[in-house]
Amino acid sequence: MLELKNISFSVDDEKGQKTILSDVSLEVEKNEFVVVTGPNGSGKSTLAKLIAGIEKPVGGSIFFDGEDITGLDITSRARLGIAYAFQQPVRFKGIKVIDLLRLAAQSKITVAQACDYLAKVGLCARDYVNREVNASLSGGELKRIEIATVLARPSKLMVFDEPEAGIDLWSFKNLIETFEKMRDKGRSIIIISHQERILNIADRIIVIADGKVSNQGAAQEILPKLLGTTAAVKMCAKVD
């Protein structure tokens, strides 16, 4: 389904050119649940943005369903079936939650259907379905609404960048169940996360360190190695 071949990415800073990712190659199969983890600053979020089309690599190629999508932008990739949830959700002044869900679903979904998506991310639907997506919503509420829009979108591959950020414990447990159900429906999922409970339900874990793939394999093989390190204990800290 998704294949990254020798992907590199760098940016210019005050010291010159800084390499964020170097020669990264990986694959995600249909109906596979992959979690990308690693230390802060290792390039995980950049990797997600490259897959979504927000950033463009300086080297290498990206293929989706056999098609070279390296040069395509985020809109074109969305049309092909790649959905992305930002780490910091965007606020949309003047638009209601139900309208945002309808835009994501690309159809005039009913209020009942909109409420179902909101319930899946732990929101009381009747309190949110007609609210405006603006500054009156907290960061955690916006995060959950954005995840609901990804669920509503007709997509083949969903990319979530730290979906647990700002979400309470009950909603987080609800989200894990939702992720498992999405995989059962044939969608592929990539999640950027440090959370042990998300790592634990992955089919495969990819570890990024210093801009490179340092390890990858089945979750039952990789997770024990991560939990045996001091860094992993910090990475897998409990949700607040």
Side-chain angles (χ1 to χ4, degrees), residues 5-207:
K5 290 185 175 181
N6 309 113
I7 290 295
S8 297
F9 182 79
S10 59
V11 296
D12 293 325
D13 61 14
E14 65 277 3
K15 296 181 180 179
Q17 197 171 65
K18 179 181 179 181
T19 299
I20 307 299
L21 292 170
S22 177
D23 199 31
V24 171
S25 295
L26 58 89
E27 295 183 23
V28 177
E29 302 296 335
K30 182 179 179 181
N31 198 33
E32 188 176 27
F33 190 138
V34 175
V35 177
V36 178
T37 193
N40 290 333
S42 60
K44 304 183 301 300
S45 292
T46 298
L47 180 66
K49 291 175 182 177
L50 288 167
I51 293 169
I54 297 169
E55 300 283 4
K56 296 293 189 296
V58 297
S61 302
I62 303 174
F63 295 86
F64 185 65
D65 281 346
E67 178 182 347
D68 188 340
I69 63 169
T70 311
L72 298 184
D73 60 19
I74 186 171
T75 302
S76 299
R77 295 189 196 192
R79 292 194 184 106
L80 291 176
I82 299 176
Y84 174 76
F86 289 85
Q87 189 178 62
Q88 297 296 328
V90 180
R91 297 178 187 269
F92 296 90
K93 186 176 180 180
I95 187 170
K96 292 182 179 180
V97 170
I98 189 169
D99 296 323
L100 194 61
L101 288 168
R102 285 171 174 165
L103 284 172
Q106 300 174 23
S107 66
K108 193 172 176 62
I109 60 174
T110 65
V111 171
Q113 289 171 316
C115 289
D116 182 55
Y117 288 123
L118 293 171
K120 286 177 179 177
V121 295
L123 293 176
C124 181
R126 65 176 179 272
D127 293 339
Y128 289 91
V129 71
N130 287 312
R131 283 186 66 177
E132 192 173 310
V133 187
N134 58 21
S136 68
L137 295 170
S138 70
E141 289 170 325
L142 284 169
K143 186 78 170 180
R144 281 180 276 183
I145 289 168
E146 185 186 36
I147 293 171
T149 66
V150 174
L151 300 181
R153 198 169 301 149
S155 55
K156 299 177 183 178
L157 171 67
M158 293 177 287
V159 183
F160 297 92
D161 192 356
E162 297 193 11
E164 70 275 8
I167 292 180
D168 61 88
L169 182 59
W170 184 88
S171 297
F172 180 62
K173 290 178 180 177
N174 214 33
L175 275 178
I176 288 180
E177 293 176 3
T178 299
F179 290 143
E180 291 179 308
K181 289 176 182 176
M182 285 190 294
R183 177 181 53 190
D184 292 341
K185 291 181 179 179
R187 294 183 178 186
S188 297
I189 303 169
I190 299 174
I191 298 181
I192 310 298
S193 182
H194 294 153
Q195 291 297 328
E196 181 182 350
R197 281 164 287 183
I198 291 180
L199 291 163
N200 200 47
I201 61 172
D203 295 320
R204 192 156 51 90
I205 294 173
I206 297 173
V207 183

